[in-house]
Structures are given as structure tokens and as C-alpha cells.
Amino acid sequence: MSSIFTKIVRKEIPSYKVHENDKFYAFLDINPLKKGHTLVIPKKHHEKITDMDSKDVGKIFSLVPKIAKAVLIGANADAFSLAQNNGKAAKQIIPHVHIHIIPRYNKKGTVWTKRQIPTYEVLSELAVKIRTALI
């Protein structure tokens, strides 16, 4: 099965990459809840986390703190939330495992429903800032 995320991994659809290794890919959400909203996905397609090998689940979650720290720095955020949904009833929109790293800002609160559509320039600049913070 293929998803939009599989197409992103294959470079068939452009993305604002912040990290990539042999098994995982992290990129900015193009319809973010907050500035810097980042998704971490396995390159291999799995619809739900229960479909993944437990070692790979551990590997993807061990990568999250490193990326989250870079998101905090790059997006100048005060904190972050993590989200990971499995199945339609859990509001999983894309049927490919993904972990949301959602930056939080003291002055903006923690509203989950407000989405923003940033410009290409804003996303490109932010991806560079986060990638730089990973080094």
C-alpha cells in the first residue's frame, strides 16, 4: 500500500525535510497546528504502529527527542506536544505511521484545532533552522 507519505519518502512529492536516515524521515507538516509542527515517519509503509516490528517502534521513538529538541530551537518554541494516532476512529488522517511533534508557545496556548497554512518561504527557512539545530 502507498500513501502520500510514501510518495514524500520516494521524493515524488516535495517536502520540507528536517531529518533523514536509512529508516526514518522527518519533515514539516504543511498544514501545521503551530509553527514548526513536524512529522516523523518510518520510510517503510505501516498503517498503524501495531503493524511495525517492536524494534523499529523503539528506534522511531528514540529519534523523537533529538528532533523535538531541534524543533524547539529552530521554531523558538517554549514546549512541545507529541501525538500518534492509529486508525480512523483515532483521527488518523494519513494511513501511514507518523508521530507529530507540535511546538507550543506560552503566549499562544494549546489549541489543537487551529491550522495554519504557511508560505513556501516560511517553511523553507524553518526547515533550515531545525536541520541546523540537529547538528
Side-chain angles (χ1 to χ4, degrees), residues 92-130:
Q92 181 183 16
I93 297 168
I94 306 297
H96 187 121
V97 170
H98 55 288
I99 301 166
H100 298 263
I101 301 172
I102 306 163
R104 298 300 186 175
Y105 302 87
N106 288 329
K107 293 182 181 180
K108 295 182 181 181
T110 57
V111 176
W112 285 89
T113 56
K114 290 186 179 179
R115 295 268 183 177
Q116 309 160 15
I117 301 178
T119 64
Y120 166 84
E121 291 80 15
V122 167
L123 288 170
S124 293
E125 182 180 315
L126 187 54
V128 169
K129 286 180 181 179
I130 295 170

Side-chain angles (χ1 to χ4, degrees), residues 62-104:
S62 69
L63 183 58
V64 168
K66 176 182 177 179
I67 295 171
K69 185 175 180 179
V71 168
L72 287 171
I73 294 166
N76 197 29
D78 299 305
F80 66 93
S81 296
L82 296 177
Q84 201 285 312
N85 305 318
N86 294 276
K88 288 182 182 182
K91 304 296 184 205
Q92 181 183 16
I93 297 168
I94 306 297
H96 187 121
V97 170
H98 55 288
I99 301 166
H100 298 263
I101 301 172
I102 306 163
R104 298 300 186 175

